[in-house]
Amino acid sequence: MNKFLKWFNIVTLVGVLINILGMALPFIFTPQWYLDFFGLPGGGGSVIWMRQAGLLLFFISILYLSGGRDPIRYSLNAKFAILVRMAIGSYWLWLVFVEGQTRSFLIFGILDCTYAVFNGILLWLALKNNKLEFSAK
């Protein structure tokens, strides 16, 4: 296994754990605390939608694992995970800069987009090195 594949495995797993432990479970079990802690708008019906978003994030994060574990075999899953992370990060940034929402969303956008770029570079290097190893055999 090339070193980029190994690092892609690790970084993807860390991203999944951050999604589940840092967002999905708090969204499901303590949505109002999460809204208050980060100074996000919400309340009332938002709590129901936060729980729904938490469930979706939990299951989507689990789907990232196969692409993170074996991005050669499950390359579409690996690429999809990066694309989705960038789309979600861009959405957070859109909320702040276009929709005029609270700047509290910036941290989510910056972290998601930075993670997506870093993970995308790792995946590109992993796939590139895998082709080189394969053609050398």
Side-chain angles (χ1 to χ4, degrees):
M1 176 187 294
N2 71 53
K3 65 182 177 182
F4 299 112
L5 273 176
K6 182 178 180 177
W7 277 107
F8 182 77
N9 296 159
I10 293 167
V11 170
T12 301
L13 180 61
V14 168
V16 167
L17 291 174
I18 289 170
N19 275 357
I20 291 173
L21 299 175
M23 293 189 82
L25 293 179
F27 279 17
I28 295 166
F29 296 110
T30 58
Q32 192 60 54
W33 176 87
Y34 203 89
L35 291 169
D36 295 342
F37 182 80
F38 285 101
L40 301 173
S46 293
V47 170
I48 294 167
W49 288 109
M50 287 279 293
R51 287 189 170 125
Q52 171 73 14
L55 286 168
L56 291 171
L57 183 59
F58 179 82
F59 290 116
I60 287 171
S61 297
I62 289 172
L63 292 174
Y64 293 165
L65 290 174
S66 59
R69 179 88 168 103
D70 189 354
I72 305 304
R73 183 174 182 186
Y74 301 106
S75 64
L76 187 59
N77 292 53
K79 292 171 186 172
F80 183 74
I82 294 165
L83 177 69
V84 168
R85 180 76 73 158
M86 182 59 79
I88 291 169
S90 298
Y91 172 72
W92 294 122
L93 297 176
W94 173 273
L95 285 177
V96 175
F97 296 117
V98 177
E99 296 290 325
Q101 295 292 324
T102 175
R103 297 181 81 69
S104 298
F105 291 123
L106 275 178
I107 188 70
F108 302 118
I110 291 168
L111 289 174
D112 277 336
C113 288
T114 302
Y115 177 86
V117 168
F118 180 67
N119 221 15
I121 291 168
L122 279 176
L123 179 61
W124 177 72
L125 291 169
L127 295 176
K128 178 181 166 188
N129 280 0
N130 187 63
K131 286 180 185 176
L132 293 174
E133 288 175 7
F134 184 73
S135 64
K137 290 182 181 181

